[in-house]
Amino acid sequence: MKTCPTVLRFCASALFLPLAIAAQDNPQPPAMDATAHRQAVEGARKRLQNAWREFGERNARGEMAPDIFSLRVQPKILTTGEMEGLMNQAQAATFPEPEVVRSINGKLNVTLNVFKARNQIGADPVYLRSYNGKLVGPTLRCQPGDTLYITVKNALEPEPGMADVMNTLHGFNTTNLHTHGLHVSPSGISDNVLLEIPPGANQSYEIVIPKDHPAGTFWYHAHKHGSTAANVGSGMSGALIIEGGLDTVPEIARAPQRVMVLQQIPYVNNASKPVCPAISKDTNLTVGVIEAEYADCSFGPRTWDKLGRYTTINGVKLPVIRMQPGSVERWRLIDSAIREVIQPELVRVDHSGQSAPSRLNFHEIAVDGLALGRVAARSQLELWPGYRSDVLIQAPPVAGVQYVLRDARVPGGGVIIPEERRYLALVIVEGPLNPMPLPTDEAVKRFRLPSIDPKRVTARQAAAYGIIPKGDGVVFTIDRQPLDFNEARQNTLGEVQEWTVISRNNVGPVSHPFHIHVNPFEIFSILNEQSVEQLDRDPRTGAVLPVWRDTIILNEGWKVSFRTEYTDFDGVFVQHCHILDHEDEGMMELVEISKPPAPMPMADTGNMEPKRLGAPYPAPAWSLPDATGKVQKSADLLTRPTVLFFYEGFACLRCNEQMTALVEKAEAFRKQGVQVIGISTDSVADLGKALDGTPCPFPLLADPEKRVFRSYGCYADGPLHGLFVLDASGKVHWQNVSMTPYMDVDALLREAGQVAAPARSGAVASRQP
């Protein structure tokens, strides 16, 4: 960790423009003056802290575990009459798709106006912060290589100032934007969650999607620390679809698509008074609201179940999905809920199409927007906040059958969920037969991201998420520390890292969805508390199947291990818990990716003369295979004076001449205590062929992807030739980078000898200019 002053600058101001949108004419909930507002918000904070303290005490007494009997209860199968009753409750007789905004000629332009708007959830009127007055934002559809031009205009009212707001739920009328799952820059006016957009301000974002970005289901949402839960919980989120990839598989291309943004909107109203002491008897909340003075009612342990709300899809309670018999649809499921897991299953209505299966499978083809590389049949999904799942649904070949999309979650603490509150949508199979096939594993295999070779790992990280008691309340932490904007976890661009992440709480078992921005990760192990592997296994071989994600649940006592590679983008971003009030209250950490130390610039003398450095610098770290495929690491090899040279493979005649000269002087370098190491653009196979029958007196390593070439500055529209002299501590004292190989090996030997002299005498290596 180190001080991160640049973050303070980002947090202090955004790029604000005068606001040109008028305040929206909508009814307001009961108002209060600034002093009363501050007192009410402070009271909500204290009650929320007390709720967590009581949660820990009840856990210690064993009162919060799931009811074992309810775990055995089979889902209720609705009768035809009950189905008709639900149809009467259904808010939409047809499925409601959000508005769609598409990119045109490589540019997607959209404005998100933020204001409080009146809407309806079932029979309940609500008055909530919104994007463009809706309960869900527009679906953004674009292509790899496109640029997103998004303007956020904040027309919310200013709020009274509060003291000591760090790591609390606060500032609900200040917002910003995050593109969840995108591999894009976290800096400037790109996916920068450290920007803030206060009431009355605009912010323009320009987000460049790389040309090789995976196609898939991503999403966007508000992400200002302190107001994230309130904003996203109000519906300030939307789908972001990057087209291509799996879309081109014929069986998938023919399938109609549905975008399903699952939401758990924790509004309070007059009906909430029995479970929300913050709402006084004299307060008349005729519309549902999410406000800081009622934060303990909307957020915190067990609040969702106590409120008795429905999980909505695209802002609608119980939408109706109509499918033809035998047809296949693609559902893009996005869990934008802020707290509870959602476990969808498709259960047949009783007396409805008795020849049809009692359940339908979800044929999962991607998670978190990233292709599985197979078609995984599941009777039930597990969607935690932030998760996405792309599934294919195949209707039975029977008209008249009906299904319920149902949440099978079992709550703890003795809470009983009424059966009808579990229902997410109604599915009606009707019309003429339309048989459609599902794709094979072979058809989707090529769209999976390539696995990360464990031999390429250059560093390791660990993180423990946890809620710990402090005083009369609790603290939300990563590695037992709440968010500090002056501290950041340090990493280097180009590193390949292996992470271990866990959940360890001192208030009883709590699960935390881990999410990190910018770079996805490949999970290779999830061990439960009995150390039993939880990842899918290959049905033929039994081998564990790694999976790419950007969000993963950390259950208490479990251990998740993954690998990730920091490519393309440096800058400051965050990792955090995606139970968003946990994040707002401190379970977030800054992550800074720094560029590797660049070689000192060469003096431009026309002949690219070598550079003697007055101030040696640390050589970038690396991990590369030799001709046998064995991985060699710089940390193991660069422990004595070294000549490190970069060459363009054995196909380069000039490189062969340089290699011959170095081989002829190999013994002279050895006598001076200097080792020689070569790094080639050849692949391992080509390197092995070149050395077959022609042994080399020093190690040669393969860098066909030229990552290490780039980190040492030996790349400019193609590989360059490079020579570096390092001391025993791994610092560069002398270098030459040029279009042609450096051939004065005698001069190189003298330079290396001077660097090695202190090491031979036992002194600390230093370089005299």
Side-chain angles (χ1 to χ4, degrees):
M1 306 288 284
K2 77 170 185 180
T3 301
C4 192
T6 56
V7 174
L8 294 179
R9 184 171 68 250
F10 287 142
C11 294
S13 65
L15 303 179
F16 300 134
L17 298 171
L19 189 66
I21 184 169
Q24 305 301 311
D25 183 17
N26 273 309
Q28 293 282 351
M32 59 181 72
D33 63 34
T35 300
H37 179 268
R38 292 189 187 98
Q39 292 173 345
V41 173
E42 186 58 36
R45 287 187 197 170
K46 291 179 179 178
R47 289 191 300 273
L48 189 55
Q49 285 284 299
N50 288 337
W52 278 108
R53 177 178 51 78
E54 292 171 4
F55 175 84
E57 293 170 353
R58 291 187 65 189
N59 261 313
R61 297 193 296 267
E63 299 175 6
M64 301 302 288
D67 176 50
I68 299 302
F69 175 74
S70 67
L71 289 172
R72 300 194 189 102
V73 174
Q74 294 297 313
K76 177 183 177 183
I77 305 301
L78 297 182
T79 66
T80 303
E82 288 170 324
M83 184 68 175
E84 290 174 354
L86 279 181
M87 284 291 293
N88 292 332
Q89 293 184 45
Q91 204 173 343
T94 57
F95 186 80
E97 284 281 352
E99 174 195 0
V100 177
V101 179
R102 294 182 177 273
S103 63
I104 300 174
N105 297 326
K107 297 179 180 180
L108 187 148
N109 292 278
V110 66
T111 297
L112 300 176
N113 296 304
V114 179
F115 57 89
K116 290 183 181 178
R118 176 182 283 274
N119 281 288
Q120 197 87 3
I121 299 178
D124 292 344
V126 294
Y127 187 61
L128 302 169
R129 295 164 183 84
S130 71
Y131 286 144
N132 299 342
K134 307 292 186 180
L135 285 172
V136 65
T139 296
L140 310 183
R141 285 186 171 269
C142 56
Q143 307 282 333
D146 286 354
T147 300
L148 310 180
Y149 296 93
I150 304 175
T151 300
V152 179
K153 296 184 176 182
N154 188 350
L156 295 169
E157 295 294 322
E159 298 170 287
M162 297 289 297
D164 302 321
V165 297
M166 183 63 178
N167 295 327
T168 67
L169 300 170
H170 72 280
F172 287 8
N173 286 358
T174 299
T175 190
N176 65 8
L177 189 71
H178 168 49
T179 50
H180 185 125
L182 291 196
H183 177 62
V184 294
S185 171
S187 304
I189 57 172
S190 185
D191 184 30
N192 184 351
V193 298
L194 302 178
L195 296 175
E196 295 185 2
I197 312 173
N202 295 354
Q203 177 65 58
S204 295
Y205 290 87
E206 186 175 323
I207 301 170
V208 179
I209 300 173
K211 292 181 180 179
D212 60 351
H213 197 290
T217 302
F218 305 95
W219 64 302
Y220 64 92
H221 60 83
H223 204 303
K224 181 262 174 185
H225 185 59
S227 70
T228 308
N231 284 187
V232 179
S234 297
M236 290 174 60
S237 64
L240 200 170
I241 310 299
I242 299 182
E243 297 177 332
L246 288 169
D247 305 346
T248 63
V249 175
E251 295 86 351
I252 298 174
R254 287 195 292 267
Q257 294 188 30
R258 298 185 193 269
V259 170
M260 298 186 178
V261 181
L262 279 66
Q263 304 160 302
Q264 293 182 334
I265 300 177
Y267 58 92
V268 298
N269 55 18
N270 282 331
S272 309
K273 289 182 179 180
V275 296
C276 185
I279 307 175
S280 69
K281 293 180 179 179
D282 299 330
T283 301
N284 187 19
L285 281 179
T286 59
V287 294
V289 298
I290 297 175
E291 299 296 344
E293 56 265 35
Y294 310 126
D296 57 310
C297 307
S298 296
F299 312 107
R302 309 302 181 196
T303 51
W304 173 250
D305 292 322
K306 291 177 183 177
L307 285 173
R309 305 293 175 225
Y310 275 76
T311 299
T312 55
I313 298 179
N314 299 338
V316 172
K317 170 187 169 183
L318 285 173
V320 176
I321 298 169
R322 300 178 186 274
M323 298 181 66
Q324 288 183 264
S327 65
V328 173
E329 291 190 354
R330 179 183 185 174
W331 295 0
R332 296 181 183 263
L333 296 161
I334 300 170
D335 188 347
S336 75
I338 61 172
R339 169 160 294 281
E340 302 293 348
V341 64
I342 301 173
Q343 296 176 310
E345 58 184 4
L346 278 165
V347 180
R348 193 192 69 216
V349 175
D350 195 17
H351 306 302
S352 160
Q354 291 297 298
S355 62
S358 60
R359 292 172 180 259
L360 293 183
N361 278 337
F362 302 92
H363 301 276
E364 194 170 48
I365 55 175
V367 293
D368 291 355
L370 305 171
L372 290 175
R374 56 195 174 95
V375 181
R378 308 188 192 282
S379 61
Q380 186 182 105
L381 300 176
E382 181 172 288
L383 302 177
W384 286 89
Y387 276 26
R388 283 92 68 214
S389 176
D390 282 56
V391 296
L392 300 174
I393 306 297
Q394 188 173 44
V398 180
V401 66
Q402 299 170 336
Y403 289 86
V404 174
L405 183 63
R406 177 187 185 273
D407 182 4
R409 177 178 67 93
V410 176
V415 175
I416 298 175
I417 302 177
E419 180 64 19
E420 68 173 29
R421 272 197 54 234
R422 295 184 177 277
Y423 301 145
L424 309 176
L426 310 177
V427 180
I428 299 174
V429 181
E430 61 185 11
L433 183 66
N434 181 24
M436 296 173 63
L438 293 166
T440 64
D441 287 353
E442 191 62 31
V444 300
K445 181 179 179 180
R446 64 189 177 95
F447 297 103
R448 187 187 185 277
L449 291 175
S451 287
I452 296 176
D453 188 340
K455 295 177 182 179
R456 293 183 53 226
V457 171
T458 57
R460 285 174 167 77
Q461 297 273 3
Y465 282 48
I467 305 172
I468 58 177
K470 182 177 181 181
D472 293 331
V474 297
V475 183
F476 294 80
T477 70
I478 298 176
D479 294 336
R480 304 190 72 80
Q481 295 295 323
L483 173 67
D484 182 344
F485 278 117
N486 294 316
E487 297 288 329
R489 184 181 294 249
Q490 297 298 310
N491 300 285
T492 303
L493 191 65
E495 282 186 327
V496 179
Q497 292 193 348
E498 187 169 297
W499 283 60
T500 300
V501 285
I502 60 173
S503 173
R504 288 286 186 272
N505 304 274
N506 296 103
V507 294
V510 181
S511 297
H512 302 290
F514 165 93
H515 172 55
I516 191 165
H517 293 197
V518 182
N519 298 286
F521 47 84
E522 185 183 28
I523 304 167
F524 63 88
S525 178
I526 301 177
L527 299 178
N528 69 6
E529 61 271 24
Q530 284 85 38
S531 296
V532 176
E533 183 58 62
Q534 301 299 299
L535 284 176
D536 289 347
R537 292 183 179 272
D538 189 310
R540 295 166 299 176
T541 66
V544 172
L545 295 172
V547 60
W548 282 94
R549 301 203 72 123
D550 59 52
T551 308
I552 186 63
I553 190 61
L554 309 179
N555 290 316
E556 183 84 21
W558 292 31
K559 182 173 76 171
V560 176
S561 301
F562 64 77
R563 300 184 186 100
T564 187
E565 183 171 8
Y566 302 126
T567 61
D568 301 322
F569 306 109
D570 60 336
V572 180
F573 49 92
V574 294
Q575 61 156 313
H576 62 89
C577 175
H578 224 283
I579 294 177
L580 294 178
D581 52 292
H582 293 187
E583 179 255 291
D584 283 333
E585 294 181 271
M587 196 172 286
M588 185 163 80
E589 180 186 61
L590 298 184
V591 178
E592 182 171 17
I593 305 296
S594 301
K595 291 180 179 178
M600 296 294 289
M602 301 292 299
D604 186 3
T605 63
N607 293 319
M608 299 296 286
E609 292 295 327
K611 178 72 175 180
R612 298 171 179 171
L613 308 179
Y617 65 90
W622 43 261
S623 177
L624 291 171
D626 60 22
T628 68
K630 181 179 179 181
V631 173
Q632 307 288 347
K633 296 184 179 182
S634 57
D636 299 328
L637 292 182
L638 302 184
T639 57
R640 55 195 177 105
T642 302
V643 168
L644 186 65
F645 70 100
F646 290 78
Y647 67 104
E648 296 184 31
F650 284 95
C652 174
L653 295 178
R654 293 173 298 178
C655 294
N656 280 328
E657 293 173 0
Q658 183 191 51
M659 178 83 70
T660 300
L662 289 169
V663 168
E664 290 174 351
K665 295 288 185 179
E667 181 63 17
F669 281 109
R670 188 191 65 77
K671 288 181 178 179
Q672 296 217 46
V674 177
Q675 66 176 340
V676 179
I677 299 174
I679 296 179
S680 170
T681 58
D682 283 327
S683 66
V684 170
D686 289 341
L687 197 59
K689 290 177 183 178
L691 293 177
D692 186 21
T694 311
C696 184
F698 41 76
L700 298 177
L701 308 175
D703 183 26
E705 296 178 350
K706 306 169 189 67
R707 288 190 179 91
V708 183
F709 271 76
R710 287 180 171 89
S711 68
Y712 276 75
C714 297
Y715 196 92
D717 297 324
L720 299 172
H721 303 85
L723 265 171
F724 300 83
V725 177
L726 287 65
D727 66 22
S729 67
K731 290 185 177 180
V732 177
H733 287 254
W734 182 97
Q735 67 182 39
N736 171 255
V737 178
S738 66
M739 296 292 291
T740 58
Y742 181 76
M743 296 303 298
D744 192 346
V745 178
D746 289 330
L748 178 64
L749 184 61
R750 289 193 297 272
E751 293 290 342
Q754 292 183 55
V755 171
R760 291 197 302 272
S761 67
V764 177
S766 63
R767 179 76 174 97
Q768 300 298 321

